[in-house]
mmCIF file of all heavy atoms in Angstrom:
data_model
loop_
_atom_site.group_PDB
_atom_site.id
_atom_site.type_symbol
_atom_site.label_atom_id
_atom_site.label_comp_id
_atom_site.label_asym_id
_atom_site.label_seq_id
_atom_site.Cartn_x
_atom_site.Cartn_y
_atom_site.Cartn_z
ATOM 1 N N VAL A 71 16.324 11.170 -16.413
ATOM 2 C CA VAL A 71 15.439 12.084 -15.697
ATOM 3 C C VAL A 71 14.206 11.313 -15.238
ATOM 4 O O VAL A 71 13.700 10.455 -15.960
ATOM 5 C CB VAL A 71 14.992 13.247 -16.613
ATOM 6 C CG1 VAL A 71 14.041 14.174 -15.901
ATOM 7 C CG2 VAL A 71 16.181 14.012 -17.156
ATOM 8 N N VAL A 72 13.728 11.633 -14.047
ATOM 9 C CA VAL A 72 12.473 11.092 -13.529
ATOM 10 C C VAL A 72 11.591 12.268 -13.159
ATOM 11 O O VAL A 72 12.048 13.226 -12.517
ATOM 12 C CB VAL A 72 12.703 10.186 -12.295
ATOM 13 C CG1 VAL A 72 11.387 9.782 -11.650
ATOM 14 C CG2 VAL A 72 13.517 8.954 -12.686
ATOM 15 N N PHE A 73 10.335 12.194 -13.569
ATOM 16 C CA PHE A 73 9.361 13.234 -13.247
ATOM 17 C C PHE A 73 8.360 12.679 -12.251
ATOM 18 O O PHE A 73 7.787 11.616 -12.468
ATOM 19 C CB PHE A 73 8.620 13.697 -14.509
ATOM 20 C CG PHE A 73 9.527 14.306 -15.529
ATOM 21 C CD1 PHE A 73 9.983 13.571 -16.608
ATOM 22 C CD2 PHE A 73 9.931 15.627 -15.410
ATOM 23 C CE1 PHE A 73 10.829 14.128 -17.547
ATOM 24 C CE2 PHE A 73 10.774 16.204 -16.351
ATOM 25 C CZ PHE A 73 11.225 15.449 -17.424
ATOM 26 N N VAL A 74 8.162 13.398 -11.159
ATOM 27 C CA VAL A 74 7.177 13.036 -10.147
ATOM 28 C C VAL A 74 6.056 14.061 -10.279
ATOM 29 O O VAL A 74 6.274 15.258 -10.090
ATOM 30 C CB VAL A 74 7.799 13.058 -8.730
ATOM 31 C CG1 VAL A 74 6.751 12.728 -7.684
ATOM 32 C CG2 VAL A 74 8.970 12.086 -8.657
ATOM 33 N N LEU A 75 4.854 13.567 -10.606
ATOM 34 C CA LEU A 75 3.769 14.458 -10.996
ATOM 35 C C LEU A 75 2.705 14.595 -9.914
ATOM 36 O O LEU A 75 1.522 14.411 -10.136
ATOM 37 C CB LEU A 75 3.165 13.989 -12.325
ATOM 38 C CG LEU A 75 4.172 13.885 -13.466
ATOM 39 C CD1 LEU A 75 3.494 13.414 -14.749
ATOM 40 C CD2 LEU A 75 4.892 15.203 -13.690
ATOM 41 N N GLY A 76 3.133 14.954 -8.746
ATOM 42 C CA GLY A 76 2.232 15.377 -7.677
ATOM 43 C C GLY A 76 1.699 14.285 -6.782
ATOM 44 O O GLY A 76 1.860 13.104 -7.018
ATOM 45 N N ASP A 77 1.069 14.755 -5.711
ATOM 46 C CA ASP A 77 0.502 13.906 -4.663
ATOM 47 C C ASP A 77 1.521 12.879 -4.169
ATOM 48 O O ASP A 77 1.240 11.694 -4.074
ATOM 49 C CB ASP A 77 -0.780 13.229 -5.143
ATOM 50 C CG ASP A 77 -1.957 14.189 -5.205
ATOM 51 O OD1 ASP A 77 -1.775 15.372 -4.860
ATOM 52 O OD2 ASP A 77 -3.048 13.762 -5.611
ATOM 53 N N SER A 78 2.700 13.372 -3.849
ATOM 54 C CA SER A 78 3.786 12.502 -3.419
ATOM 55 C C SER A 78 4.408 12.948 -2.107
ATOM 56 O O SER A 78 5.565 12.646 -1.830
ATOM 57 C CB SER A 78 4.860 12.449 -4.510
ATOM 58 O OG SER A 78 4.312 11.953 -5.697
ATOM 59 N N ASN A 79 3.670 13.705 -1.324
ATOM 60 C CA ASN A 79 4.151 14.185 -0.020
ATOM 61 C C ASN A 79 5.370 15.087 -0.168
ATOM 62 O O ASN A 79 6.210 15.142 0.722
ATOM 63 C CB ASN A 79 4.499 13.019 0.899
ATOM 64 C CG ASN A 79 3.431 12.736 1.908
ATOM 65 O OD1 ASN A 79 2.310 13.209 1.777
ATOM 66 N ND2 ASN A 79 3.763 11.962 2.910
ATOM 67 N N LEU A 80 5.472 15.795 -1.255
ATOM 68 C CA LEU A 80 6.649 16.617 -1.521
ATOM 69 C C LEU A 80 6.731 17.833 -0.604
ATOM 70 O O LEU A 80 7.763 18.479 -0.559
ATOM 71 C CB LEU A 80 6.668 17.045 -2.985
ATOM 72 C CG LEU A 80 6.707 15.890 -3.979
ATOM 73 C CD1 LEU A 80 6.522 16.396 -5.392
ATOM 74 C CD2 LEU A 80 7.992 15.097 -3.836
ATOM 75 N N HIS A 81 5.679 18.105 0.127
ATOM 76 C CA HIS A 81 5.693 19.187 1.109
ATOM 77 C C HIS A 81 6.348 18.751 2.415
ATOM 78 O O HIS A 81 6.772 19.565 3.209
ATOM 79 C CB HIS A 81 4.264 19.683 1.374
ATOM 80 C CG HIS A 81 3.374 18.590 1.879
ATOM 81 N ND1 HIS A 81 2.829 17.644 1.033
ATOM 82 C CD2 HIS A 81 2.949 18.285 3.117
ATOM 83 C CE1 HIS A 81 2.091 16.802 1.739
ATOM 84 N NE2 HIS A 81 2.158 17.170 3.015
ATOM 85 N N ASP A 82 6.453 17.442 2.622
ATOM 86 C CA ASP A 82 7.050 16.875 3.823
ATOM 87 C C ASP A 82 8.547 16.656 3.574
ATOM 88 O O ASP A 82 8.933 15.905 2.675
ATOM 89 C CB ASP A 82 6.362 15.551 4.159
ATOM 90 C CG ASP A 82 7.000 14.855 5.336
ATOM 91 O OD1 ASP A 82 6.882 15.368 6.466
ATOM 92 O OD2 ASP A 82 7.645 13.801 5.113
ATOM 93 N N GLU A 83 9.383 17.312 4.360
ATOM 94 C CA GLU A 83 10.831 17.256 4.137
ATOM 95 C C GLU A 83 11.375 15.828 4.188
ATOM 96 O O GLU A 83 12.215 15.434 3.382
ATOM 97 C CB GLU A 83 11.562 18.145 5.141
ATOM 98 C CG GLU A 83 13.034 18.265 4.867
ATOM 99 C CD GLU A 83 13.735 19.254 5.769
ATOM 100 O OE1 GLU A 83 13.085 19.858 6.639
ATOM 101 O OE2 GLU A 83 14.955 19.424 5.594
ATOM 102 N N GLU A 84 10.878 15.040 5.112
ATOM 103 C CA GLU A 84 11.353 13.656 5.233
ATOM 104 C C GLU A 84 11.002 12.837 3.986
ATOM 105 O O GLU A 84 11.839 12.094 3.457
ATOM 106 C CB GLU A 84 10.749 13.010 6.486
ATOM 107 C CG GLU A 84 11.282 11.634 6.775
ATOM 108 C CD GLU A 84 10.701 11.066 8.059
ATOM 109 O OE1 GLU A 84 10.484 11.826 9.023
ATOM 110 O OE2 GLU A 84 10.470 9.842 8.084
ATOM 111 N N SER A 85 9.781 12.969 3.495
ATOM 112 C CA SER A 85 9.370 12.249 2.281
ATOM 113 C C SER A 85 10.155 12.730 1.070
ATOM 114 O O SER A 85 10.586 11.935 0.232
ATOM 115 C CB SER A 85 7.874 12.433 2.030
ATOM 116 O OG SER A 85 7.122 11.857 3.062
ATOM 117 N N PHE A 86 10.333 14.043 0.969
ATOM 118 C CA PHE A 86 11.079 14.628 -0.144
ATOM 119 C C PHE A 86 12.519 14.110 -0.153
ATOM 120 O O PHE A 86 13.036 13.681 -1.196
ATOM 121 C CB PHE A 86 11.051 16.155 -0.034
ATOM 122 C CG PHE A 86 11.784 16.859 -1.131
ATOM 123 C CD1 PHE A 86 11.231 16.974 -2.396
ATOM 124 C CD2 PHE A 86 13.039 17.407 -0.898
ATOM 125 C CE1 PHE A 86 11.904 17.625 -3.419
ATOM 126 C CE2 PHE A 86 13.728 18.059 -1.910
ATOM 127 C CZ PHE A 86 13.159 18.168 -3.173
ATOM 128 N N THR A 87 13.149 14.104 1.002
ATOM 129 C CA THR A 87 14.533 13.616 1.117
ATOM 130 C C THR A 87 14.603 12.129 0.796
ATOM 131 O O THR A 87 15.510 11.675 0.087
ATOM 132 C CB THR A 87 15.074 13.899 2.530
ATOM 133 O OG1 THR A 87 15.021 15.313 2.760
ATOM 134 C CG2 THR A 87 16.496 13.408 2.698
ATOM 135 N N LYS A 88 13.657 11.362 1.299
ATOM 136 C CA LYS A 88 13.625 9.924 1.034
ATOM 137 C C LYS A 88 13.519 9.652 -0.462
ATOM 138 O O LYS A 88 14.243 8.799 -1.000
ATOM 139 C CB LYS A 88 12.443 9.291 1.776
ATOM 140 C CG LYS A 88 12.292 7.811 1.558
ATOM 141 C CD LYS A 88 11.094 7.302 2.336
ATOM 142 C CE LYS A 88 10.891 5.816 2.159
ATOM 143 N NZ LYS A 88 9.749 5.319 2.941
ATOM 144 N N LEU A 89 12.665 10.371 -1.134
ATOM 145 C CA LEU A 89 12.501 10.207 -2.579
ATOM 146 C C LEU A 89 13.787 10.573 -3.314
ATOM 147 O O LEU A 89 14.262 9.829 -4.176
ATOM 148 C CB LEU A 89 11.331 11.068 -3.055
ATOM 149 C CG LEU A 89 10.816 10.846 -4.460
ATOM 150 C CD1 LEU A 89 10.377 9.416 -4.674
ATOM 151 C CD2 LEU A 89 9.649 11.778 -4.732
ATOM 152 N N ASN A 90 14.368 11.703 -2.967
ATOM 153 C CA ASN A 90 15.611 12.145 -3.601
ATOM 154 C C ASN A 90 16.760 11.171 -3.362
ATOM 155 O O ASN A 90 17.589 10.961 -4.250
ATOM 156 C CB ASN A 90 16.005 13.540 -3.103
ATOM 157 C CG ASN A 90 15.370 14.616 -3.923
ATOM 158 O OD1 ASN A 90 15.618 14.736 -5.113
ATOM 159 N ND2 ASN A 90 14.526 15.408 -3.294
ATOM 160 N N ASN A 91 16.826 10.605 -2.179
ATOM 161 C CA ASN A 91 17.908 9.679 -1.848
ATOM 162 C C ASN A 91 17.690 8.280 -2.417
ATOM 163 O O ASN A 91 18.626 7.486 -2.467
ATOM 164 C CB ASN A 91 18.094 9.588 -0.336
ATOM 165 C CG ASN A 91 18.656 10.864 0.246
ATOM 166 O OD1 ASN A 91 19.249 11.679 -0.450
ATOM 167 N ND2 ASN A 91 18.461 11.049 1.540
ATOM 168 N N SER A 92 16.478 7.969 -2.843
ATOM 169 C CA SER A 92 16.157 6.621 -3.311
ATOM 170 C C SER A 92 16.218 6.470 -4.825
ATOM 171 O O SER A 92 16.313 5.355 -5.328
ATOM 172 C CB SER A 92 14.754 6.222 -2.834
ATOM 173 O OG SER A 92 14.712 6.221 -1.426
ATOM 174 N N ILE A 93 16.160 7.552 -5.545
ATOM 175 C CA ILE A 93 16.179 7.495 -7.002
ATOM 176 C C ILE A 93 17.502 8.081 -7.490
ATOM 177 O O ILE A 93 17.851 9.210 -7.148
ATOM 178 C CB ILE A 93 14.963 8.228 -7.600
ATOM 179 C CG1 ILE A 93 13.687 7.497 -7.170
ATOM 180 C CG2 ILE A 93 15.075 8.309 -9.119
ATOM 181 C CD1 ILE A 93 12.405 8.119 -7.631
ATOM 182 N N ASN A 94 18.210 7.314 -8.293
ATOM 183 C CA ASN A 94 19.543 7.684 -8.744
ATOM 184 C C ASN A 94 19.519 8.424 -10.075
ATOM 185 O O ASN A 94 20.380 8.204 -10.922
ATOM 186 C CB ASN A 94 20.415 6.430 -8.881
ATOM 187 C CG ASN A 94 20.518 5.664 -7.589
ATOM 188 O OD1 ASN A 94 20.517 6.253 -6.516
ATOM 189 N ND2 ASN A 94 20.587 4.358 -7.686
ATOM 190 N N SER A 95 18.560 9.257 -10.275
ATOM 191 C CA SER A 95 18.426 10.035 -11.498
ATOM 192 C C SER A 95 18.097 11.466 -11.121
ATOM 193 O O SER A 95 17.727 11.745 -9.976
ATOM 194 C CB SER A 95 17.287 9.486 -12.367
ATOM 195 O OG SER A 95 17.517 8.148 -12.694
ATOM 196 N N GLU A 96 18.225 12.329 -12.091
ATOM 197 C CA GLU A 96 17.810 13.709 -11.877
ATOM 198 C C GLU A 96 16.291 13.725 -11.697
ATOM 199 O O GLU A 96 15.567 13.111 -12.479
ATOM 200 C CB GLU A 96 18.201 14.516 -13.120
ATOM 201 C CG GLU A 96 18.530 15.925 -12.858
ATOM 202 C CD GLU A 96 19.059 16.635 -14.099
ATOM 203 O OE1 GLU A 96 19.344 15.993 -15.127
ATOM 204 O OE2 GLU A 96 19.167 17.856 -13.999
ATOM 205 N N LEU A 97 15.813 14.397 -10.661
ATOM 206 C CA LEU A 97 14.378 14.427 -10.354
ATOM 207 C C LEU A 97 13.804 15.807 -10.602
ATOM 208 O O LEU A 97 14.413 16.821 -10.234
ATOM 209 C CB LEU A 97 14.136 14.078 -8.883
ATOM 210 C CG LEU A 97 14.208 12.612 -8.499
ATOM 211 C CD1 LEU A 97 14.164 12.457 -6.989
ATOM 212 C CD2 LEU A 97 13.092 11.839 -9.129
ATOM 213 N N PHE A 98 12.609 15.831 -11.192
ATOM 214 C CA PHE A 98 11.857 17.069 -11.384
ATOM 215 C C PHE A 98 10.418 16.813 -10.973
ATOM 216 O O PHE A 98 9.930 15.687 -11.031
ATOM 217 C CB PHE A 98 11.947 17.534 -12.844
ATOM 218 C CG PHE A 98 13.332 17.947 -13.219
ATOM 219 C CD1 PHE A 98 14.215 17.034 -13.762
ATOM 220 C CD2 PHE A 98 13.757 19.248 -12.991
ATOM 221 C CE1 PHE A 98 15.515 17.404 -14.094
ATOM 222 C CE2 PHE A 98 15.053 19.629 -13.307
ATOM 223 C CZ PHE A 98 15.928 18.704 -13.865
ATOM 224 N N PHE A 99 9.749 17.886 -10.569
ATOM 225 C CA PHE A 99 8.454 17.738 -9.929
ATOM 226 C C PHE A 99 7.404 18.683 -10.505
ATOM 227 O O PHE A 99 7.714 19.781 -10.961
ATOM 228 C CB PHE A 99 8.588 18.030 -8.426
ATOM 229 C CG PHE A 99 9.669 17.228 -7.776
ATOM 230 C CD1 PHE A 99 10.949 17.750 -7.632
ATOM 231 C CD2 PHE A 99 9.418 15.951 -7.320
ATOM 232 C CE1 PHE A 99 11.970 17.007 -7.036
ATOM 233 C CE2 PHE A 99 10.426 15.204 -6.722
ATOM 234 C CZ PHE A 99 11.694 15.729 -6.578
ATOM 235 N N SER A 100 6.182 18.220 -10.437
ATOM 236 C CA SER A 100 5.023 19.052 -10.698
ATOM 237 C C SER A 100 4.097 18.854 -9.501
ATOM 238 O O SER A 100 3.857 17.712 -9.098
ATOM 239 C CB SER A 100 4.339 18.607 -11.996
ATOM 240 O OG SER A 100 3.268 19.449 -12.302
ATOM 241 N N PRO A 101 3.581 19.920 -8.917
ATOM 242 C CA PRO A 101 2.810 19.755 -7.681
ATOM 243 C C PRO A 101 1.411 19.186 -7.918
ATOM 244 O O PRO A 101 0.761 19.484 -8.909
ATOM 245 C CB PRO A 101 2.715 21.179 -7.131
ATOM 246 C CG PRO A 101 2.758 22.039 -8.352
ATOM 247 C CD PRO A 101 3.676 21.326 -9.309
ATOM 248 N N GLY A 102 0.977 18.371 -6.972
ATOM 249 C CA GLY A 102 -0.401 17.887 -6.963
ATOM 250 C C GLY A 102 -1.213 18.680 -5.964
ATOM 251 O O GLY A 102 -0.684 19.492 -5.203
#
Side-chain angles (χ1 to χ4, degrees):
V71 178
V72 172
F73 298 99
V74 178
L75 303 180
D77 286 359
S78 300
N79 259 15
L80 300 172
H81 59 282
D82 176 69
E83 187 174 1
E84 186 177 324
S85 296
F86 180 76
T87 301
K88 179 180 180 179
L89 192 58
N90 272 297
N91 291 340
S92 299
I93 296 178
N94 302 326
S95 301
E96 211 174 350
L97 282 171
F98 293 91
F99 307 94
S100 184

